[in-house]
Amino acid sequence: MVKRLVLASPRGYCAGVERAVETVERALELHGAPVYVRKQIVHNAHVVRDLERRGAVFVDNVGEVPRGSNVVFSAHGVSPAVRHSARFRGLRAIDATCPLVSKVHAEARHFARLGYTIFLIGHAGHEEVDGTTGEAPQSTLLVETAEQAEICYATTNRQRAVKRIVAAVDLLLVIGSRNSSNSNRLVDVARAGGVVAYLIDDESEIDEAWLDGVESVGITSGASAPESLVRRVVGWFRERGVSQVESLDGAFEDVFFKLPREVRADGVTRT
Ligand code: SF4
């Protein structure tokens, strides 16, 4: 019988995701529906469905966007070829690429210009990888098997928090969608630490059989999963009599990225 919940910290939304979601919300406020978004703005099914309800239209490529419309580029970044296609179609682009991803793009261009070969660790077909490869296609070699690639502060901190929490729990639930690389990685880190771990989109995916003989359940969330989902999962356990809920705090995060220029009102960023 579960008696205790332990929440990993930091978890959930990173500054890049926060900015990308707010960018679509601001674009909807400023321009009205529909606002087209190339690819899932962040890799979370709940976030995408919520924005769809509010008038966002997600497309796989800019060729599906009516000429002259607004199109938001997702947090994962796009290649120069995509920017070019958008311009060619007369689209008004709003770039929600995470600034840390843009930094990686700039470094790819820089080192390619200097004649270096770039080893890019990632998975073929993922938007992040396609975007970065597209910056220097002749100079980039994709490495798909490196397990320990850490791309930024948020993924590093969330993985460290999982490494700490596994010592305190019998089972870890990672809230995140199947296509979220960093969420899958949190599951891997927990399993490597010897703890049973499952990836769930929300509380409806919890299988009560997982909880047999389990006293302490850890909860964390990927960088694209909203905190509201953590509250829902905690609520699910509370409804089943779990009253002890604690947080295992790790690194303090105060990273904040300004919204893209195109959606800032009077050039002032909403906080
Ligand atoms: Fe940016 Fe890191 Fe968040 Fe990706 S996980 S959007 S690189 S802050």
Side-chain angles (χ1 to χ4, degrees):
M1 153 91 181
V2 178
K3 295 185 181 144
R4 188 171 75 113
L5 289 183
V6 187
L7 306 186
S9 178
R11 62 177 177 271
Y13 266 18
C14 58
V17 164
E18 187 99 50
R19 172 179 184 268
V21 173
E22 195 176 340
T23 297
V24 178
E25 291 172 346
R26 290 292 298 266
L28 284 165
E29 281 169 27
L30 287 172
H31 305 294
V35 164
Y36 292 86
V37 183
R38 183 187 175 275
K39 305 283 184 190
Q40 293 195 349
I41 184 73
V42 299
H43 286 154
N44 186 273
H46 285 268
V47 174
V48 167
R49 275 200 299 269
D50 179 53
L51 290 172
E52 270 175 345
R53 269 195 299 274
R54 294 151 72 180
V57 177
F58 293 89
V59 296
D60 267 334
N61 62 68
V62 291
E64 299 168 52
V65 181
R67 287 178 185 281
S69 306
N70 294 294
V71 63
V72 179
F73 295 145
S74 74
H76 315 98
V78 295
S79 68
V82 172
R83 291 180 199 284
H84 179 76
S85 307
R87 263 199 307 276
F88 188 71
R89 286 186 69 75
L91 305 181
R92 287 192 297 269
I94 301 171
D95 191 358
T97 301
C98 173
L100 296 184
V101 174
S102 299
K103 184 166 171 268
V104 172
H105 286 197
E107 281 171 1
R109 288 194 300 272
H110 173 70
F111 286 110
R113 251 195 321 268
L114 294 178
Y116 284 87
T117 296
I118 298 159
F119 291 95
L120 177 63
I121 298 170
H123 296 294
H126 275 207
E127 287 129 54
E128 304 89 324
V129 168
D130 287 351
T132 307
T133 308
E135 294 287 352
Q138 308 305 329
S139 310
T140 306
L141 288 177
L142 184 60
V143 181
E144 294 195 72
T145 52
E147 290 294 310
Q148 300 301 329
E150 293 175 342
I151 60 163
C152 78
Y153 84 95
T155 51
T156 306
N157 287 347
R158 278 149 194 69
Q159 288 175 22
R160 284 197 181 133
V162 164
K163 283 179 188 159
R164 292 184 62 223
I165 207 173
V166 291
V169 300
D170 307 311
L171 169 86
L172 182 73
L173 297 178
V174 178
I175 303 171
S177 289
R178 301 282 177 278
N179 59 346
S180 164
S181 290
N182 78 83
S183 302
N184 282 294
R185 184 83 188 108
L186 295 179
V187 172
D188 294 342
V189 168
R191 289 180 181 160
V195 159
V196 178
Y198 296 106
L199 182 67
I200 54 169
D201 237 321
D202 56 44
E203 70 286 359
S204 69
E205 294 187 359
I206 301 173
D207 182 343
E208 304 217 16
W210 298 341
L211 308 177
D212 282 350
V214 165
E215 281 203 359
S216 296
V217 175
I219 297 174
T220 189
S221 46
S224 47
E227 186 65 11
S228 57
L229 294 176
V230 176
R231 288 195 292 273
R232 279 170 47 177
V233 170
V234 170
W236 186 93
F237 279 98
R238 284 194 194 281
E239 281 165 15
R240 283 155 183 78
V242 180
S243 56
Q244 195 184 339
V245 180
E246 53 197 75
S247 178
L248 189 65
D249 293 337
F252 174 71
E253 292 184 345
D254 60 356
V255 179
F256 170 78
F257 298 134
K258 278 201 230 171
L259 287 172
R261 196 170 8 103
E262 298 87 342
V263 293
R264 267 183 254 160
D266 307 323
V268 178
T269 305
R270 196 171 63 174
T271 58

